[in-house]
């Protein structure tokens, strides 16, 4: 039944690559294909540019595995290979047949201006993909951050349209969406909970990361499953030439990375770990209970790759991280993610590249309570197995096809209580939930003229919720009306969604372009949280007979300009997003260990729109960027605020960041970040009354008030030892919140001490001025 | 239970971030005053009160704005209609003893509007033992009242606690249910984060068994903490025209000297 469309799409995909070749290969041309690597480490380069000299329009970029394929006319040709931050290479080739060309790009001498070809710098103008931002991991090492823990999730918050989840938080909101509407991928594995320690640090140890791409709109058809954004993070493959050791000691954590060849130039490995040591200070306490307490987190990233032959490469990568909190022997709480990715790259021929991926991802938490009265464990888990087959087909230098299929099996085991017989708590076992998403996509990147480029595509998603278990329907009050028993493997509910994606760029000249995009995204996994900060215990639910898939349609229009010899990059994007089947909660919703959790939900619509401006200075001693977004994000629910539109909590009218980095000397680099944003929309009381000696607050409207504006200045300085030596080290000094601004984290209301009849408002600020220092080394 | 775990969690969290707190001025809107009706019928021979008031603005020094001139009756389910008289502004009373298992109906006519609500008085659950408990959180001693009782199996029970410390005001402090410990022998720590108990304090503790709607009201009040994304008014049994609840409840009163 539901497999019919699946088969159709697959056959269509197969047809494309068998039929197309016969009609486009008639010209006198040949294919140059291969991979581009970093000359020093052998790491493959993602998004590097390959162009034909003298014909700028003929060109392509490497994919996520550093692979490219370009069709070029027969004869003597010069190919220009370039990448931002690398020296350009020109390679003459005499094309008489299809040719494989593997290229190594070097960084160039230190402090010498790296000559990057103009065409690599114009990628942002040409690329039809809009709403995308690439974060350079080398760039973020100078940006000052809280407690000196450099963090990609905090860096992306400095981009326009990406809002911080809160003071010091690694969680983020994109274009008016919620935190659970971001798809966060680490080597293609979905990461369920991307933060440590209630959000203050992300799970991504930047030592282990090669490349980060954030899609805010116009998502490519190969991604699906979330409404607001895709954050695609690739881990480093490991040095293919030499063994390297890199590490650091910071205020919060220490880290160590080792990478090197397994077999020189054929395979390499990378292992990177990080652990915090705040708990070591607890050991110093005189108090026995504190001494026996735990408080730490750690991350472990590991990756290995092996090139079997020119056509086959295998990758195995994994992540394991955990937070552990414990108070004496009475209370324990730990949570974390584990992911594993096995990939097989196969080059079928110079025009067809394929990647087969098997992914495992797991997030779970355990709470253990053990004392005189209580002895029980609360445990919850969410897990998926994901099999993906992706093809990339390059029939000509004007056209690239991508197509593939994806089978995602997901299961949720909600918070269950396992209690000892004699304890004062009952065991509680809720039904597990199982779902499967079958997806297929097809997209075509096409350059019909030198100026016009487009990517259009379609993604089909079929979600199925399976038994066994009891599934309820709910009335308007959220009370369960009827429960129906489903057997194992029985389909409880299925949703089929068609997601069109389109992105067009039109180049006005070499320096200017306009782009247009439209995309539809759907989401079948929802995280429930009625608190202001995200907790690891927030429950996950899948679409069901009660919960419909969330759906977003986004249209965007942008203008892009490079100027002053591509040293400056400017962009302005505006968007409008309409969201259906959004979730909110009934008053005092019980979201923990509740069999009828779906009855606590309200469903409504959302809209978000805004303008984002970005100006970046890419090179020179002083570089950095300014970003600003003017936006609105609103929701409408029949049962909230009498059905009228209200501001979403993350609706911040103005959001601006300024990032500056200055190379003072060969040793010293200075940096500064300033952020400003309108406060969150919040619910405050507009009156009060008293019952049984307690003052109660009278609320008249959801999110009718604003938190005070947020602003903060951070400074950083990095000293690096001479890079000429084999052993190099650096010191990074940082000051978070330099002018000690007391940004309100919470505003609450209370009875005045000594006069319970009178009331007052008070605020809590989390971080005042916080200095940090980190020592890093490399050899 | 879960709450206990979270309390530890919140403790650790605050320990971590050791935030700084200051009193600030927030420009709050002045809402149109809203009626508040709170009626209670207990299983003791005493004045059964219905308090009618209006909400006031946040800045007002006196949070109680009584509403006089209402007609208040309670129907006891056996055909007896009891009329309440206004003994003090906003306080409508009548002395009688409610019966366990009986359903009462409250009717209030005020300012041309009529509000009704019903409540069934649940079976009482009595405390077996009560005393002082001590816990140590991050080196700080905290005293609380330790209450032990057997929760009846197979029925949903809702418990509400009020106390008076020394000669202070009578104050509502806690609402619980048996979602996680139905039928268990329960050891409840009763405390109020605002009040520090010290040796020698004399505490009067009231334990009330209430119905679900009363639980729902107080549970929302209790759940509205600074970390709540969307704090809200407690659900009202009177509909959109008035806030409040009507509770037929069993009341047990205990005296404890803090040790």
């Amino acid at each position: 039944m539901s497999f019919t469309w699946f088969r159709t799409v697959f056959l269509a995909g197969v047809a494309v690559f068998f039929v197309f070749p016969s009609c486009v290969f008639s010209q006198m041309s040949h294919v140059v294909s291969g991979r581009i690597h970093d000359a020093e480490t052998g790491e493959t380069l993602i998004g590097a540019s390959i162009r034909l000299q003298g014909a700028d329009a003929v060109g392509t970029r490497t994919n996520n595995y550093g692979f490219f394929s370009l069709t070029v006319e027969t004869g003597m040709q010069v190919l220009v290979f370039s990448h931002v931050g690398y020296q350009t290479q020109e390679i003459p080739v005499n094309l008489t047949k299809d040719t494989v060309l593997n290229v190594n790009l070097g960084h160039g001498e230190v402090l010498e201006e790296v000559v990057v070809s103009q065409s690599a710098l114009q990628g942002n103008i040409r690329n039809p993909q809009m709403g995308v931002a690439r974060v350079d991991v080398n760039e973020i090492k100078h940006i000052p951050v809280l407690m000196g823990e450099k963090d990609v999730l905090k860096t992306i918050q400095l981009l326009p349209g990406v809002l911080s989840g809160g003071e010091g938080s690694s969680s983020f909101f994109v274009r008016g969406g919620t935190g659970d509407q971001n798809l966060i991928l680490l080597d293609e594995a979905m990461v369920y909970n991307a933060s440590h320690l209630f959000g203050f640090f992300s799970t991504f140890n930047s030592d282990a990361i090669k490349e980060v791409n954030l899609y805010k709109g116009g998502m490519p058809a190969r991604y699906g499953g979330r409404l607001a954004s895709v954050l695609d993070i690739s881990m480093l493959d490991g040095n293919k030439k030499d063994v390297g050791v890199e590490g650091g000691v910071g205020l919060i954590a220490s880290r160590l990375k080792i990478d090197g060849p397994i077999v020189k130039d054929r395979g390499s490995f990378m292992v990177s770990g990080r652990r915090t040591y705040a708990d070591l200070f607890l050991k110093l306490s005189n108090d026995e209970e504190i001494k026996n307490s735990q408080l730490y987190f750690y991350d472990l990233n590991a990756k290995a790759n092996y090139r079997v032959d020119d056509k086959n490469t295998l990758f195995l990568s994994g992540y394991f991280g955990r937070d552990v909190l414990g108070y004496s022997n009475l209370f324990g709480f730990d949570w974390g993610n584990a992911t594993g990715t096995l990939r097989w790259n196969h080059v079928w021929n110079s025009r067809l590249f394929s990647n087969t991926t098997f992914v495992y991802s797991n997030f779970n938490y355990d709470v253990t309570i053990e004392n005189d009265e209580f002895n029980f464990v609360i445990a919850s888990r969410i897990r998926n197995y994901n099999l993906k087959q992706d093809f990339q087909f390059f029939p000509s230098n004007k056209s690239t096809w991508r197509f593939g299929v994806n089978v995602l099996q997901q299961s949720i085991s909600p918070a269950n209580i396992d209690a000892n017989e004699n304890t004062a708590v009952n065991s509680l076992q809720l039904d597990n939930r199982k779902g499967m998403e079958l997806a297929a996509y097809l997209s075509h990147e096409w350059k019909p003229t030198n100026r016009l480029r487009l990517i259009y595509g379609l993604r089909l998603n079929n979600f199925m919720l399976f038994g066994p278990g009891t599934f309820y329907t709910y009335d308007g009050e959220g009370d369960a009306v009827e429960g129906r028993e489903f057997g194992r493997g029985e389909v409880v509910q299925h949703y089929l969604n068609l997601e069109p994606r389109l992105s067009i760029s039109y180049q006005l000249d070499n320096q200017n372009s306009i782009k247009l995009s439209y995309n539809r995204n759907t989401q079948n996994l929802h995280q429930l949280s009625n608190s202001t900060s995200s907790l690891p215990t927030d429950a996950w639910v899948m679409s069901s007979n009660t919960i419909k898939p969330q759906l977003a349609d986004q249209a965007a229009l942008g203008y892009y300009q490079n100027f002053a010899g591509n040293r400056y990059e400017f962009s302005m994007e505006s968007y409008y997003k309409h969201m259906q089947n959004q979730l909110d909660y009934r008053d005092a919703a019980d979201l923990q260990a509740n069999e009828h959790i779906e009855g606590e939900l309200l469903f409504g619509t959302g809209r978000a729109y805004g303008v984002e401006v970005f100006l970046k200075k890419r090179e020179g001693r002083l570089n950095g960027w300014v970003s600003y977004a003017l936006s609105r994000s609103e929701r409408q629910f029949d049962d909230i605020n009498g059905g009228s539109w209200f501001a979403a909590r993350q609706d911040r009218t103005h959001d601006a960041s300024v990032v500056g980095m200055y190379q003072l000397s060969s040793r010293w680099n200075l940096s500064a970040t300033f952020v400003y944003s309108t406060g969150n929309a919040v619910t405050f009381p507009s009156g009060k009354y008293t019952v049984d000696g307690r003052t109660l607050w009278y609320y008249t409207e959801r999110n009718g008030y604003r938190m005070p504006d947020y602003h903060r200045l951070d400074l950083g300085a990095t000293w690096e030892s001479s890079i000429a030596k084999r052993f190099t080290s650096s010191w990074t000094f940082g000051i978070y919140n330099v002018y000690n601004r007391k940004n309100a984290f919470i505003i609450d209301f209370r009875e005045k001490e000594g006069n319970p009849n009178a009331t007052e408002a008070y605020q809590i600020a989390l971080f005042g001025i916080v200095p940090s220092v980190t020592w890093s080394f490399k050899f | 239970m879960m709450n206990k775990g979270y309390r530890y969690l919140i403790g650790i969290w605050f320990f971590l971030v050791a935030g700084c707190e200051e009193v600030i001025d927030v420009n709050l809107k002045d809402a149109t005053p809203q009626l508040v009706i709170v009626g209670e019928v207990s299983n003791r021979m005493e004045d059964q009160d219905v308090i009618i008031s209006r909400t006031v603005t946040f800045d007002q020094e006196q949070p109680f704005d009584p509403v006089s001139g209402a007609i208040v009756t309670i129907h006891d389910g056996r055909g007896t209609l009891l009329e309440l008289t206004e003994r003090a502004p906003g306080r409508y009373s009548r002395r009688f003893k409610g019966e366990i298992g009986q359903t009462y109906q409250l009717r209030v006519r005020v300012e041309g509007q009529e509000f009704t609500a019903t409540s069934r008085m649940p079976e009482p659950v009595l405390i077996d033992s009560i005393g002082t408990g001590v816990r140590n959180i991050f080196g700080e001693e905290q005293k609380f009242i330790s209450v032990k009782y057997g929760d009846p199996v197979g029925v949903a029970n809702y418990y509400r606690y009020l106390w008076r410390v020394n000669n202070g005001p009578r104050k509502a402090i806690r609402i619980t249910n048996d979602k996680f410990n139905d039928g268990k022998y329960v050891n409840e720590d009763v405390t109020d984060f605002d009040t520090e108990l010290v040796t020698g304090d004399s505490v009067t503790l009231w334990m009330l068994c209430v119905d679900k709607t009363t639980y729902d009201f107080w549970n929302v009040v209790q759940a509205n903490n600074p970390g709540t994304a969307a704090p809200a008014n407690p659900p009202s049994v009177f509909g959109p025209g008035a806030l409040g609840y009507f509770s037929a409840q069993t009341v047990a009163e205990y005296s404890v000297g803090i040790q």
Side-chain angles (χ1 to χ4, degrees), chain B residues 37-249:
Chain B
I37 304 169
V38 174
E40 295 183 344
V41 172
S42 79
N43 61 336
R44 303 203 297 187
M45 177 54 85
E46 59 184 1
D47 276 352
Q48 311 297 348
D49 290 340
V50 174
I51 315 278
I52 306 178
S53 65
R54 253 185 223 99
T55 61
V56 298
T57 61
F58 187 83
D59 305 325
Q60 211 121 328
E61 281 278 313
Q62 177 52 259
F64 185 66
D65 178 20
V67 174
S68 291
I71 297 164
V72 182
T73 57
I74 292 176
H75 199 273
D76 75 354
R78 296 188 169 186
T80 316
L81 188 70
L82 304 160
E83 199 159 321
L84 280 69
T85 48
E86 190 172 4
R87 300 266 170 84
R91 180 169 160 249
Y92 302 80
S93 303
R94 187 180 177 118
R95 193 176 162 81
F96 67 94
K97 182 174 181 286
E99 277 174 54
I100 291 156
Q102 192 63 255
T103 300
Y104 293 87
Q105 188 186 42
L106 171 71
R107 186 179 293 261
V108 173
R109 253 165 291 172
V110 59
E111 294 170 346
Q113 288 172 284
E114 186 171 282
F115 300 97
T116 60
T118 58
S119 176
R120 181 189 170 274
M121 191 182 293
E123 321 305 317
V125 175
L126 298 176
I127 291 176
D128 281 351
S129 89
I130 183 165
T132 310
V134 181
R135 68 174 154 238
N136 196 311
I137 291 193
F138 298 109
E140 251 180 74
E141 240 179 38
Q142 198 183 18
K143 291 194 170 167
F144 55 87
I145 293 177
S146 169
V147 161
K148 294 188 165 97
Y149 62 89
D151 180 81
V153 68
V155 279
N157 295 91
Y158 307 96
Y159 306 98
R160 202 180 144 218
Y161 299 90
L162 295 95
W163 76 13
R164 170 180 287 132
V165 179
N166 300 325
N167 295 315
R170 184 175 126 117
K171 201 176 167 195
I173 46 173
R174 189 154 162 69
I175 187 93
T176 67
N177 69 358
D178 61 356
K179 178 181 168 189
F180 295 112
N181 53 15
D182 178 48
K184 290 283 181 180
Y185 194 72
V186 178
N187 188 345
E188 186 71 40
D189 302 349
V190 182
T191 181
D192 171 8
F193 282 110
D194 303 337
T195 315
E196 199 180 322
L197 295 178
V198 292
T199 307
D201 277 347
S202 102
V203 178
T204 310
L205 182 83
W206 290 270
M207 185 206 204
L208 277 49
C209 294
V210 299
D211 65 1
K212 185 170 183 304
T213 55
T214 307
Y215 170 82
D216 288 343
F217 180 94
W218 284 104
N219 185 43
V220 173
V221 172
Q222 191 168 276
N224 283 345
N225 64 54
T228 312
N233 294 322
S236 171
V237 284
F238 303 108
L243 297 160
Y245 61 91
F246 175 53
S247 175
Q249 58 200 22

Side-chain angles (χ1 to χ4, degrees), chain A residues 374-417:
Chain A
F374 299 113
N375 185 347
F376 64 95
V377 176
I378 305 168
S380 171
R381 169 205 292 277
I382 177 163
R383 177 175 63 188
N384 74 59
Y385 296 99
N386 191 355
L387 184 65
K388 287 162 76 172
Q389 178 59 53
D390 300 294
F391 291 98
Q392 216 175 339
F393 175 58
F394 309 86
S396 77
N397 63 34
K398 289 198 185 324
S399 145
T400 304
W401 291 85
R402 282 172 181 267
F403 50 94
V405 290
N406 181 359
V407 182
L408 173 75
Q409 195 266 356
Q410 195 151 237
S411 62
I412 299 172
S413 154
N416 285 317
I417 301 175

